[in-house]
Amino acid sequence: MNLPTLHPFALRRRALLAAAVLVVAAGAFRPAHAQSGVPGAPPPGMSAARPPRPEQAAHAARPWASNVILPQARAFDVAARGAVSIQRVTAGVVIIEQAATTTMEIEVLNPTGARLESELIVPVPDGAVVRGFDFQGAGAEPSAALLPREEARRIYDDIVAKVRDPALLEFYGYNLVRSSVFPVEARATQKVRLTYENLLPADGGRVDYLLPRSESLAYAVPWRIAVRVNAAKPIGAVYSPSHEITITRGAPGAVTVKLADAAAGEPGPFRLSYVRDQGEAFATLFAYPDPRVGGGYFLLLAGLPPRAKEAKSAPAMRREVTLVLDRSGSMAGEKMDQVKEAARQVIGGLDEAETFNVIVYNEAVDLFSAAPLPKTKENERRAFDYLASLTPRGGTNIHDALLEALRQKPTPGALPLVIFLTDGLPTMGPTSEAVIRDLAAKANPHRRRVFTFGVGVDVNTPLLERIASDTRATSSYVLPKENVEVKVGALFRRLSGPVLAEPALAAVDDQGGPAPARVREVLPARLPDLFDGDQLVVLGTYVGDAPLAFSLAGTGAEGPRTFKFRFPLDKATTRNGFVARLWASRKIADLIDAVRALGADVPPAAAAFAGRAQAPRGRPVINPGAMPPAPSPDPRVRELTAEIVRLSTEFGILSEYTAFLAREGTDLTRRDAVMAQALDNVQKRAVETRSGLGSVNQEANNVSQKAQVFLNGKNGYWNEKMERVSVSGVQQVADRAFFNRGGRWIDSRAVEKNEAEQPARVVEFGSDEFHRLAERLANEGRQGCIAFAGDVLLVVDGQTVLVKMPK
């Protein structure tokens, strides 16, 4: 296993640090506490919290160095002599059962011409124990002490008062590790390493790890994080609701997780959970209480064990794959060559017990076989010869090609999959978007899954997405200069080893009977088929506070299967704010999808004149009174847009349609104006733009958001030029969202109450009332709400409170 490289230190190799590094490098730490059976007991060799020892008191009482470095946030120039900057942070974590060893290496730069004395303060979870601290170069004997929560709060208050910067308050309420002083030479870098251990909380078969980090969008320090998990029992699922990760499985009880490269600069605490295998199926539940929805929000993580764990004699579910290939004239050249090679790879990758067919189309539709054939060497050779003979010419008859794919006689006992490729708009046969869309939904007697591929940008992306989603499949797009073969191959590899077809999730009562009133607005409404290694993430709202029970039913290789799960809600907490935000993100995508569907077959005249009174460049201006009146927006579009705006504002989740909400000058209390702007954006983009790069980007955003499993704190999305952009005027903190207006951060709940300018009371930074507020927010996991650089308008107990920050 390759964890992030931890650079060797020049002059010291102390036994304690060597042991800590050995833990990260080789997994040598083997705590015996897993057999103790005492919940919350510290493992042997680890100490529970206790009164400060003399060395702790010494660390807490000594004067501050000129620079105080908080790697999860930034460096604070306490003495006003010049600040060091944090260049990068590397974290290596080893988790054995519930015991975690975290080694952080922090690289800092001194840009000044003088040596700067610095020290490290690191917020750590409850029960943490320091195991090592060191730095490069010569200096006093390095040491670090864990300060309990109360002493840590005094230190936070002290630094905040000195530097007049509330950023440190984001970690108010955490225990704190404070190091001895170390030097950072002039115009040089220094590497500092800290190792600590802590016992992780467990909820049933789930174990949760948390690495505190800033949620501030201004925090731009890149992180590398790698985690190795070792458990006595097989590991069923590994999941991060906070960041994109990559997962590599080894033995049944061993997993390596890395922070994805794209997430290196993403803000927020790093959360990771693993679920022990519970037999035939595994499941766990995260719950966020919210009385406004009658109970709260839930996130259900479930799946089936990898096939490799099952007996070799167990039958596997077979696949039937139909390749539907566009051979119209626009496919000539490299595109056609790549499509042929992709088809050869798919056919070659099938098992001998599986079946396949090839359908090609231009204005006509031709079949390789009247029905899918078993994969044999002879059938494979014949199919390859058939592919080699194809030449591109003619138009594009999507309707009839899809009809032929859906009406084929199915292979008994196989999961029917269709891979449908096109590079153009329908030009032959029935060309109506609504007619073709309804064909997939209503004329699919054998319930084939149609995975659509748009090759290039001249495709009707809402049509391809709707065909896929209506058949439990997904859509993909191959942009110019991308390789068709690579994209199709990646999808086909993911479709290996189906383990549960047509899964259905239902809430049940204690007797196993239906209890539909317990849950609402479950997303996705239709679950996808589960393939080997898939993890199912379902979000919704729940009613009441009694335990939640679910049944998960579907078809496996041996026939129908049903699994039942029951979850108490006593551990529902506002610290699980990610649950509600992920639900809201998916809900917004679902609403946008509905809007896109309403744009099918919009009359050209409506698209031409809706909201447009300007003549094309170089042509005389037409009298607006002589133009057809701009049609009123579809009332259904208006209703859906209103809900998109409401959820976007409440949760701070913005897209290309609602990014203007974070723009300086947008008055969120002027709801008519906000609605008019949103409706204009939705009409012009979601409804009227059906093809081209400006449509591909919308589908890319929406497909990702409908399946979202981790937070998007920067509100990143693809713009109409397929450029990655983000929104900086809104900040997601814990379970709240704040909009920046003139340097003041306004709680979205104050916007809902229309009290953005009329606070019920004012709290001054540093006052006793301020400290009481900080204490309360820390207990709720919301202390980041008062860590902004600028005044904060915050809703507390239904009242709007203005927190005045230092200038």
Side-chain angles (χ1 to χ4, degrees):
M1 165 191 157
N2 294 319
L3 286 166
T5 302
L6 298 174
H7 300 281
F9 288 86
L11 300 179
R12 289 186 292 276
R13 300 183 67 181
R14 297 176 177 81
L16 182 61
L17 179 60
V21 175
L22 182 62
V23 167
V24 176
F29 177 47
R30 301 186 62 180
H33 74 284
Q35 289 81 34
S36 69
V38 182
M46 294 175 65
S47 302
R50 60 186 64 166
R53 296 187 295 271
E55 64 271 23
Q56 291 176 321
H59 274 283
R62 63 177 167 78
W64 293 106
S66 61
N67 270 258
V68 177
I69 301 168
L70 178 62
Q72 288 95 334
R74 63 183 183 83
F76 297 87
D77 181 12
V78 176
R81 296 175 183 171
V84 300
S85 63
I86 305 169
Q87 298 297 291
R88 62 186 55 84
V89 180
T90 301
V93 184
V94 171
I95 300 173
I96 300 179
E97 298 295 345
Q98 280 180 250
T101 301
T102 302
T103 297
M104 296 173 59
E105 182 178 284
I106 304 100
E107 181 178 330
V108 297
L109 170 68
N110 177 1
T112 75
R115 178 179 183 174
L116 294 175
E117 298 295 326
S118 302
E119 61 182 293
L120 194 70
I121 59 171
V122 179
V124 293
D126 286 345
V129 175
V130 179
R131 287 303 184 212
F133 171 71
D134 210 350
F135 56 85
Q136 286 182 314
E141 183 75 11
S143 63
L146 178 70
L147 305 180
R149 184 175 301 179
E150 293 307 316
E151 186 58 37
R153 286 179 177 177
R154 189 195 65 78
I155 286 179
Y156 288 138
D157 290 340
D158 189 31
I159 298 177
V160 169
K162 279 184 169 60
V163 299
R164 304 289 292 171
D165 186 340
L168 198 65
L169 294 174
E170 189 170 357
F171 302 99
Y172 202 76
Y174 279 96
N175 293 336
L176 186 67
V177 172
R178 184 179 183 185
S179 78
S180 56
V181 175
F182 56 87
V184 185
E185 301 297 340
R187 298 187 177 87
T189 58
Q190 171 67 282
K191 293 185 178 72
V192 184
R193 180 185 287 153
L194 173 72
T195 298
Y196 66 88
E197 299 170 352
N198 67 299
L199 186 66
L200 304 181
D203 184 355
R206 188 185 79 237
V207 177
D208 299 325
Y209 174 83
L210 173 69
L211 181 59
R213 297 170 69 238
S214 174
E215 292 182 285
S216 172
L217 296 179
Y219 181 66
V221 176
W223 281 61
R224 295 177 62 206
I225 302 174
V227 184
R228 184 174 64 201
V229 182
N230 289 294
K233 291 185 177 181
I235 296 172
V238 181
Y239 172 60
S240 173
S242 61
H243 291 81
E244 182 181 2
I245 57 175
T246 62
I247 301 171
T248 304
R249 290 184 176 269
V255 173
T256 299
V257 176
K258 292 185 179 180
L259 184 69
D261 291 342
E266 284 293 321
F270 176 72
R271 299 176 183 271
L272 184 72
S273 298
Y274 80 89
V275 183
R276 301 181 182 100
D277 193 353
Q278 300 162 17
E280 287 190 313
F282 57 83
T284 189
L285 190 88
F286 299 87
Y288 169 84
D290 189 344
R292 297 179 303 170
V293 298
Y297 297 85
F298 72 86
L299 184 156
L300 175 70
L301 173 66
L304 273 66
R307 283 178 55 203
K309 292 171 50 187
E310 299 178 356
K312 292 183 179 180
S313 60
M317 188 181 297
R318 295 178 299 149
R319 296 169 295 177
E320 172 206 280
V321 178
T322 300
L323 292 152
V324 184
L325 311 178
D326 184 347
R327 71 177 189 99
S328 60
S330 57
M331 288 289 293
E334 187 178 31
K335 282 195 289 188
M336 196 69 214
D337 294 339
Q338 291 178 0
V339 165
K340 290 179 181 180
E341 182 55 34
R344 285 191 284 266
Q345 284 196 16
V346 169
I347 295 170
L350 292 170
D351 295 333
E352 289 191 0
E354 298 178 315
T355 58
F356 74 95
N357 200 0
V358 180
I359 297 175
V360 295
Y361 67 99
N362 46 20
E363 62 267 19
V365 181
D366 299 305
L367 283 74
F368 168 65
S369 171
L373 299 173
K375 181 194 172 184
T376 64
K377 289 185 178 179
E378 175 59 20
N379 286 339
E380 183 177 13
R381 183 195 62 76
R382 289 176 51 224
F384 285 6
D385 289 344
Y386 182 78
L387 290 169
S389 71
L390 298 178
T391 55
R393 62 168 63 92
T396 306
N397 191 340
I398 290 177
H399 179 278
D400 290 359
L402 180 61
L403 178 63
E404 290 297 333
L406 298 178
R407 67 191 294 186
Q408 297 177 97
K409 183 179 178 180
T411 303
L415 182 66
L417 309 174
V418 175
I419 298 177
F420 193 104
L421 290 93
T422 182
D423 81 329
L425 302 171
T427 59
M428 307 293 291
T431 60
S432 162
E433 178 182 334
V435 169
I436 298 173
R437 182 186 69 195
D438 290 346
L439 176 69
K442 300 175 182 178
N444 187 8
H446 309 300
R447 299 193 295 276
R448 285 185 161 88
R449 283 70 165 157
V450 185
F451 293 86
T452 56
F453 279 84
V455 182
V457 299
D458 296 325
V459 293
N460 185 321
T461 65
L463 172 61
L464 297 182
E465 165 57 20
R466 193 57 179 263
I467 290 172
S469 63
D470 280 350
T471 60
R472 295 183 190 266
T474 58
S475 62
S476 303
Y477 301 92
V478 186
L479 298 178
K481 299 184 180 179
E482 289 186 331
N483 192 300
V484 180
E485 176 189 342
V486 171
K487 285 287 187 78
V488 174
L491 170 73
F492 186 67
R493 285 190 295 275
R494 189 177 68 78
L495 300 181
S496 65
V499 294
L500 194 68
E502 298 186 339
L505 184 74
V508 296
D509 59 25
D510 290 340
Q511 288 72 45
R518 286 303 313 279
V519 296
R520 300 169 180 160
E521 299 184 279
V522 176
L523 299 170
R526 176 184 292 177
L527 303 183
D529 300 309
L530 292 180
F531 293 84
D532 192 29
D534 280 354
Q535 296 179 177
L536 185 65
V537 178
V538 180
L539 293 132
T541 64
Y542 64 85
V543 178
D545 56 8
L548 275 179
F550 294 96
S551 71
L552 176 63
T555 302
E558 297 178 297
R561 305 181 73 180
T562 301
F563 311 96
K564 293 186 177 180
F565 314 105
R566 187 175 186 274
F567 307 101
L569 294 174
D570 57 324
K571 292 189 178 179
T573 171
T574 55
R575 295 178 185 271
N576 287 343
F578 61 85
V579 175
R581 202 178 305 279
L582 286 172
W583 174 86
S585 189
R586 285 194 184 181
K587 184 65 176 179
I588 291 169
D590 207 45
L591 295 168
I592 292 171
D593 209 36
V595 171
R596 296 279 276 164
L598 293 174
D601 303 327
V602 171
F609 291 115
R612 297 171 175 82
Q614 296 174 340
R617 180 179 297 180
R619 297 176 62 181
V621 176
I622 302 173
N623 179 2
M627 299 175 66
S632 299
D634 186 326
R636 296 171 296 175
V637 173
R638 180 180 293 277
E639 180 181 30
L640 292 167
T641 302
E643 185 64 5
I644 291 169
V645 170
R646 187 188 70 79
L647 290 171
S648 298
T649 304
E650 177 181 350
F651 291 94
I653 298 170
L654 305 187
S655 63
E656 63 176 300
Y657 316 106
T658 54
F660 74 93
L661 295 173
R663 190 171 58 227
E664 190 69 47
T666 299
D667 186 348
L668 298 176
T669 64
R670 296 184 58 200
R671 296 181 181 177
D672 289 345
V674 166
M675 182 62 186
Q677 178 68 69
L679 195 57
D680 187 60
N681 293 345
V682 166
Q683 180 69 30
K684 291 177 180 177
R685 300 282 294 126
V687 175
E688 297 174 13
T689 305
R690 316 299 288 177
S691 63
L693 196 59
S695 186
V696 171
N697 87 289
Q698 293 184 73
E699 235 55 64
N701 291 328
N702 222 37
V703 166
S704 173
Q705 197 168 334
K706 285 198 297 182
Q708 188 173 341
V709 296
F710 54 85
L711 296 175
N712 179 14
K714 290 185 175 180
N715 276 306
Y717 63 88
W718 299 101
N719 68 11
E720 66 274 12
K721 298 179 181 179
M722 282 302 289
E723 300 166 332
R724 194 68 179 172
V725 296
S726 59
V727 181
S728 60
V730 63
Q731 173 75 61
Q732 300 171 4
V733 178
D735 57 352
R736 301 292 181 91
F738 294 84
F739 291 83
N740 192 315
R741 290 294 181 271
R744 173 182 290 184
W745 292 92
I746 302 175
D747 189 338
S748 65
R749 300 188 185 198
V751 174
E752 292 175 17
K753 291 165 61 66
N754 202 24
E755 294 180 357
E757 299 298 331
Q758 300 172 0
R761 59 192 174 101
V762 177
V763 175
E764 294 289 342
F765 173 80
S767 66
D768 290 344
E769 190 176 10
F770 178 85
H771 289 297
R772 287 194 296 270
L773 178 61
E775 182 84 18
R776 172 183 173 164
L777 292 173
N779 291 336
E780 298 171 349
R782 295 171 172 145
Q783 59 270 49
C785 294
I786 55 170
F788 291 106
D791 294 348
V792 180
L793 203 64
L794 178 67
V795 175
V796 181
D797 292 334
Q799 284 191 334
T800 304
V801 178
L802 176 61
V803 183
K804 299 284 289 184
M805 294 298 186
K807 302 300 182 184

